[in-house]
Amino acid sequence: MAHSHHSHSDGVNRSRLLAALVVTFVFMLAELMGGWLSGSLALLADAGHMLTDAGALLLALLATHFSQRKAAGHRTFGLLRLTTLAAFINALALLVITILIVWEAIVRFRTPQPVAGGLMLGIAIAGLVSNLLCFWLLHQGQDKQNINVRAATLHVLGDLLGSAGAVVAALLIMWTGWTTFDPILSILVSVLVVNSARQLLQESLRELLESAPPDVDIPKLSRRLTAAIAEVRNVHHVHLWQVGEKNILTLHAQVIPNYQHDALLQRIHQWLNEHYQIAHATVQLEYQLCADTQCRLGESTASHAHADHDHGQCHGRERKSRHRDAAGHDYDAEQDVHSHH
């Protein structure tokens, strides 16, 4: 039942994205023609925003489809990263279009152009209605936390502001005859859109660079895990990143020798899932602390190979050491115990 509900939700989201794409593309053509016929930069700017909206919606639709494919062959995470890449492209496209609009607005300050206020007003109102419809379609979806849906929604929101600006500009031009209102409002709308695009660019770039989610403090996670589970003495070599919307974690945990290490691993996985919503984790249990608890991924190959000589004390194959159990008997404990969940 859960799988069926998930598939139904994906189908609903795709349908909403497709409907928003069709509406956006049709009214983009209308605004493009209206801007050309009326001579309005605000309408042309809005058409440019709608073009990026259409691209954002198309990329979001494709990313939603491809991200559902299962991992296979060398794509061990499937195509989940495609959603982040699409959001990054969306943000860059929006920034480029905005720069072009601002440049054209500056040109029009120097050489004002005649604008047909009545035609501009009619097209702007139609564009405003279409953007409201698209925003409603996207906002009602069940996948609003997906970075691609947020990217498409930001595009539509920026275009919604652009359409509102075009309506205001048309009314002011009709009342005053001063066509400079057209480039002024185009620049104001562009500033608002740039801020949203910047945030989206930072978020998608952070995921592409495999940085930890900003709301997770890695040292604090290590301390909390050590304090929460009595058998855990030390947590180190923690790596946390995102693939699509999924948090991925690897860590080493020095633990007290425990005959029921599977149960201990299960408790660690459960704690990570409950407190940090990390359902995909690889945990390595160790009975002795690593000789080198500092990550050396950033070092050169030669120095990393030298460090691995010592680091092998926790990565090596079945390195044994002597321990004493509660009854006072000595036993050999294998060092390398892995768990992948």
Side-chain angles (χ1 to χ4, degrees):
M1 290 297 293
H3 177 74
S4 176
H5 177 72
H6 179 71
S7 300
H8 175 71
S9 299
D10 290 338
V12 170
N13 288 326
R14 283 194 291 269
S15 298
R16 290 182 180 275
L17 284 171
L18 180 60
L21 174 61
V22 171
V23 171
T24 299
F25 186 77
V26 170
F27 279 94
M28 178 202 71
L29 295 178
E31 286 203 326
L32 187 62
M33 291 298 297
W36 181 71
L37 293 173
S38 65
S40 169
L41 177 61
L43 283 184
L44 290 175
D46 206 31
H49 284 161
M50 277 196 159
L51 177 61
T52 60
D53 291 349
L57 290 166
L58 179 60
L59 285 172
L61 190 62
L62 292 175
T64 301
H65 170 72
F66 286 118
S67 66
Q68 300 302 318
R69 292 189 177 183
K70 295 181 179 180
H74 62 282
R75 295 192 180 95
T76 57
F77 286 105
L79 294 172
L80 291 174
R81 186 72 77 185
L82 184 62
T83 59
T84 307
L85 182 61
F88 180 75
I89 295 174
N90 291 344
L92 287 179
L94 193 55
L95 288 174
V96 170
I97 293 293
T98 303
I99 291 172
L100 294 176
I101 291 169
V102 171
W103 176 259
E104 180 62 23
I106 294 173
V107 171
R108 290 207 174 192
F109 278 127
R110 297 177 179 177
T111 56
Q113 301 292 324
V115 177
L119 178 59
M120 177 183 174
L121 179 62
I123 298 296
I125 292 175
L128 181 63
V129 172
S130 71
N131 283 313
L132 285 171
L133 176 59
C134 289
F135 185 77
W136 178 81
L137 285 170
L138 294 174
H139 193 66
Q140 293 299 312
Q142 300 178 25
D143 200 20
K144 291 178 286 187
Q145 294 303 315
N146 182 276
I147 188 172
N148 260 316
V149 176
R150 294 202 306 272
T153 303
L154 280 175
H155 275 272
V156 172
L157 180 59
D159 200 52
L160 180 63
L161 295 173
S163 296
V167 170
V168 173
L171 291 173
L172 290 175
I173 290 171
M174 291 175 65
W175 290 339
T176 67
W178 194 41
T179 58
T180 309
F181 281 121
D182 188 48
I184 289 176
L185 289 175
S186 297
I187 290 179
L188 291 177
V189 171
S190 296
V191 170
L192 296 176
V193 175
V194 164
N195 184 56
S196 297
R198 179 186 59 80
Q199 294 176 1
L200 179 63
L201 186 64
Q202 289 178 339
E203 181 178 354
S204 57
L205 186 60
R206 175 183 55 76
E207 291 191 22
L208 289 174
L209 293 177
E210 297 189 343
S211 300
D215 57 336
V216 179
D217 185 335
I218 299 298
K220 184 177 180 181
L221 182 152
S222 302
R223 293 193 301 269
R224 290 185 63 193
L225 177 58
T226 304
I229 300 180
E231 291 88 344
V232 176
R233 293 177 173 176
N234 180 274
V235 175
H236 51 281
H237 286 299
V238 182
H239 297 281
L240 175 63
W241 68 100
Q242 284 184 300
V243 178
E245 299 297 308
K246 299 181 182 296
N247 289 333
I248 311 295
L249 174 75
T250 65
L251 63 81
H252 292 195
Q254 182 199 7
V255 300
I256 297 173
N258 191 318
Y259 290 111
Q260 297 180 339
H261 65 274
D262 288 345
L264 176 57
L265 282 171
Q266 184 61 33
R267 288 166 57 196
I268 293 175
H269 285 301
Q270 184 177 356
W271 186 90
L272 291 171
N273 195 16
E274 289 180 355
H275 292 83
Y276 288 92
Q277 292 73 54
I278 299 174
H280 190 105
T282 300
V283 178
Q284 176 171 304
L285 296 184
E286 302 159 358
Y287 294 148
Q288 290 184 346
L289 187 64
C290 284
D292 186 359
T293 59
Q294 300 299 317
C295 178
R296 297 179 180 272
L297 286 176
E299 294 187 357
S300 64
T301 304
S303 61
H304 186 68
H306 176 73
D308 282 344
H309 180 72
D310 293 332
H311 194 87
Q313 291 188 22
C314 62
H315 283 293
R317 296 180 180 177
E318 300 184 356
R319 181 183 181 276
K320 295 183 179 181
S321 57
R322 300 292 293 176
H323 293 275
R324 178 164 295 180
D325 61 19
H329 303 293
D330 291 336
Y331 65 94
D332 290 326
E334 294 183 352
Q335 279 290 112
D336 202 18
V337 183
H338 294 272
S339 168
H340 180 73
H341 182 68

